[in-house]
């Protein structure tokens, strides 16, 4: 059963220096035509029987809130009409940037039954915000969050980053203090990754980017895990923290290796056992929708072995880990049949814990997750 739907808006008013997502400057883009194509893609997918409305919806980007008020309202109405169902859709999230949130957009979100906001703050330090190419300030972020609360949004997730150029542990601590003052229900915190096709990648190649060392970054990560946990915001996935009961239901679909739709330019989906990818370019996406009703350019049938591997390395991202009984029910064979030697080796290294029918990362394993995940790949 397809449990979630991701909708991609690939437009931004500016490009952050670290971002490698599928995105384009919004100026002179065919916004109206793109949103109509997106509506047609969702309509085509939902016309196939049997169709079950997804339990979770997530609109990301790009920057969905970079759309003007009229286009944003069209998007809200479109997603609500095509995908939302009262008493079935449990979580409806949209990503927002502080600098382009306003009352009109908040009202449109309320009318469309959005019940969770993911707010891209990244840091509350004004110098670091400039350093990474963000356009908002500490104050505008706080004001946007306050405005969202006034409109009745009581499930807020804040995105933060660490390991930023020139960032100190004290600056991270100051951002976490701001988190306590705001009291969000969820926090996502990612270390800076330098990816190709980004401004930071080009700067790094030219020797013009100074990053904290690995030891400093590890100290930051350890501090934020302990700090948030001590204040009731518990780590439930390598990069995600929540007050119990407010874990991201949409992202749990990914980590539980369950199926989901992907709508929009460059969107990925997992549908009926196939990993699918849409055309990335906006015009190419719209042309495919017009000609065939969908924009898929890749469709990979996931093999039985790949499903098992994905179950392990995605499931172990969760702090709870992988349940052996669930694995047996899903794949009809015990984990030991595939991975007994691997498990024993990782337990001996202190990277994995095996207890009460569960496998999970140890404290050390959380810091060396990639080493653990690779061990489960053929």
């Amino acid at each position: 059963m397809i449990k979630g739907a991701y909708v991609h808006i690939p437009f931004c008013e500016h490009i952050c220096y670290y971002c490698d997502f599928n995105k384009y400057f919004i100026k002179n883009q065919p916004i109206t035509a793109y949103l109509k194509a997106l509506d047609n893609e969702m309509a085509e997918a939902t016309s196939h029987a049997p169709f079950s409305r997804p339990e979770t919806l997530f609109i990301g980007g790009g920057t969905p809130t970079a759309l003007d008020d009229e286009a944003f309202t069209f998007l809200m109405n479109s997603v609500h009409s095509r995908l939302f169902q009262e008493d079935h859709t449990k979580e409806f999230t949209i990503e927002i940037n502080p600098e382009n949130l306003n009352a009109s957009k908040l009202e449109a979100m309320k009318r469309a039954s959005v019940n969770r906001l993911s707010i891209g703050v990244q840091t509350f330090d004004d110098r670091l915000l400039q350093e990474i190419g963000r356009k908002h300030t500490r104050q505008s972020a706080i004001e946007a969050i306050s405005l969202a609360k006034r409109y009745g949004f009581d499930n807020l997730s804040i995105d933060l980053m660490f390991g930023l150029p020139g960032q100190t542990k004290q600056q991270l601590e100051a951002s976490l203090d701001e988190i306590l003052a705001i009291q969000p229900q969820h926090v996502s915190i990612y270390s800076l990754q330098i990816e190709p096709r980004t401004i930071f990648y080009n700067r790094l190649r030219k020797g013009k980017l100074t990053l904290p060392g690995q030891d400093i970054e590890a100290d930051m990560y350890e501090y934020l895990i302990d700090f948030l946990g001590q204040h009731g915001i518990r780590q439930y996935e390598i990069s995600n923290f929540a007050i119990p009961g407010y874990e991201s239901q949409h992202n749990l679909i990914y980590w539980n290796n369950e199926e989901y739709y992907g709508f929009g330019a460059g969107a990925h989906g997992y549908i009926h056992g196939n990993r699918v990818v849409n055309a990335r370019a906006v015009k190419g996406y719209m042309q495919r929708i017009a000609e065939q009703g969908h924009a898929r350019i890749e469709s990979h049938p996931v093999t039985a072995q790949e499903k098992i591997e994905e179950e392990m390395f995605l499931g172990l991202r969760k702090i709870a880990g992988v349940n052996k009984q669930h694995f047996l029910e899903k794949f009809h064979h015990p984990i030991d049949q595939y991975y007994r030697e691997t498990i024993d080796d990782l337990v001996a290294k202190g990277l994995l814990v095996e207890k009460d029918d569960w496998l999970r990362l140890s404290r050390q394993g959380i810091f060396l997750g990639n080493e653990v995940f690779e061990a489960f790949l053929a």
Side-chain angles (χ1 to χ4, degrees):
M1 183 177 71
I2 300 172
K3 297 191 68 173
Y6 173 79
V7 179
H8 191 68
I9 305 300
F11 307 117
C12 294
E13 292 178 341
H14 57 274
I15 305 299
C16 300
Y17 301 158
Y18 54 85
C19 181
D20 73 331
F21 295 140
N22 190 39
K23 77 284 183 186
Y24 304 91
F25 283 114
I26 195 169
K27 187 177 181 180
N28 298 324
Q29 292 289 345
I31 304 299
T32 300
Y34 176 83
L35 294 178
K36 289 181 178 179
L38 180 63
D39 183 74
N40 289 337
E41 184 188 16
M42 291 186 289
E44 192 276 338
T46 58
S47 68
H48 294 290
F51 174 74
S52 173
R53 301 268 175 162
E55 294 179 3
T56 69
L57 307 176
F58 194 108
I59 304 177
T63 311
T65 49
L67 302 176
D68 65 30
D69 290 354
E70 182 179 358
F72 188 83
T73 298
F74 180 92
L75 170 66
M76 292 292 97
N77 293 340
S78 172
V79 175
H80 184 271
S81 172
R82 300 300 184 189
L83 302 177
F84 183 85
Q85 182 174 331
E86 198 72 40
D87 300 327
H88 183 75
T89 305
K90 298 186 296 186
E91 183 184 271
F92 187 175
T93 304
I94 184 167
E95 291 181 348
I96 67 172
N97 273 5
E99 69 271 21
N100 43 42
L101 183 67
N102 60 31
S104 176
K105 290 186 172 75
L106 287 163
E107 289 170 357
M109 286 186 271
K110 293 294 284 189
R111 289 194 299 270
S113 303
V114 171
N115 58 13
R116 184 174 183 271
L117 305 183
S118 177
I119 305 172
V121 175
Q122 315 313 347
T123 175
F124 287 92
D125 185 284
D126 284 338
R127 185 192 67 77
L128 288 175
L129 286 168
Q130 290 185 333
E131 185 72 22
I132 63 177
R134 301 291 287 182
K135 294 303 180 183
H136 68 271
T137 63
R138 167 190 172 276
Q139 186 58 37
S140 63
I142 292 172
E143 290 172 356
I145 292 165
S146 177
L147 182 63
K149 288 182 176 181
R150 288 203 300 274
Y151 273 80
F153 288 95
D154 56 6
N155 189 354
L156 303 180
S157 178
I158 306 297
D159 281 359
L160 291 182
M161 298 179 71
F162 68 99
L164 300 173
Q167 185 181 30
T168 65
K169 185 178 175 183
Q170 289 70 33
Q171 287 171 314
L172 176 64
E173 291 172 358
S175 284
L176 292 174
D177 287 338
E178 297 277 13
I179 289 292
L180 289 190
I182 291 166
Q183 296 183 320
Q185 287 68 40
H186 188 281
V187 184
S188 295
I189 308 186
Y190 302 96
S191 64
L192 174 65
Q193 303 296 313
I194 306 299
E195 303 288 355
R197 304 194 308 271
T198 65
I199 294 172
F200 273 171
Y201 180 78
N202 293 330
R203 287 185 181 178
L204 187 66
R205 291 182 63 189
K206 296 175 182 178
K208 296 182 178 180
L209 189 67
T210 302
L211 300 173
Q214 288 185 345
D215 290 344
I216 294 175
E217 189 173 307
D219 286 345
M220 290 180 176
Y221 185 47
E222 185 169 31
Y223 176 81
L224 67 89
I225 290 173
D226 292 337
F227 180 89
L228 291 173
Q230 290 165 6
H231 292 89
I233 307 174
R234 304 191 183 283
Q235 186 179 27
Y236 71 99
E237 190 269 347
I238 285 180
S239 300
N240 286 272
F241 304 75
I243 294 172
Y246 287 92
E247 296 82 2
S248 170
Q249 298 305 301
H250 183 80
N251 286 340
L252 282 168
I253 291 173
Y254 302 148
W255 303 319
N256 288 333
N257 201 21
E258 296 173 311
E259 295 193 342
Y260 56 93
Y261 290 105
F263 297 115
H268 291 233
Y270 185 20
I271 303 171
H272 305 313
N274 295 278
R275 297 282 181 186
V276 297
V277 183
N278 278 355
R280 287 177 59 90
V282 170
K283 290 184 178 179
Y285 166 81
M286 293 191 302
Q287 181 177 349
R288 285 177 176 269
I289 295 296
E291 293 175 352
Q292 58 197 31
H294 68 81
R296 292 189 292 275
I297 57 172
E298 296 178 27
S299 182
H300 168 69
V302 182
T303 67
Q305 179 63 33
E306 288 170 334
K307 289 179 181 178
I308 289 170
E309 292 173 356
E310 291 173 354
E311 189 78 12
M312 297 306 296
F313 71 73
L314 290 171
L316 285 171
R317 289 190 62 90
K318 298 177 296 181
I319 300 306
V322 173
N323 182 268
K324 292 183 182 181
Q325 183 61 34
H326 176 74
F327 184 99
L328 176 62
E329 293 169 357
K330 190 170 184 177
F331 298 107
H332 311 296
H333 296 284
I335 286 179
D336 287 0
Q337 180 173 323
Y338 301 98
Y339 293 120
R340 186 66 261 168
E341 186 176 336
T342 300
I343 292 168
D344 288 342
D345 181 59
L346 292 170
V347 170
K349 289 179 178 178
L351 301 179
L352 201 64
V353 174
E354 185 175 17
K355 184 179 180 182
D356 297 333
D357 217 27
W358 287 86
L359 292 172
R360 61 174 177 81
L361 295 176
S362 66
R363 173 79 174 207
Q364 182 184 2
I366 291 173
F367 287 81
L368 299 172
N370 287 337
E371 180 179 334
V372 177
F373 305 149
E374 289 171 6
F376 289 97
L377 301 179

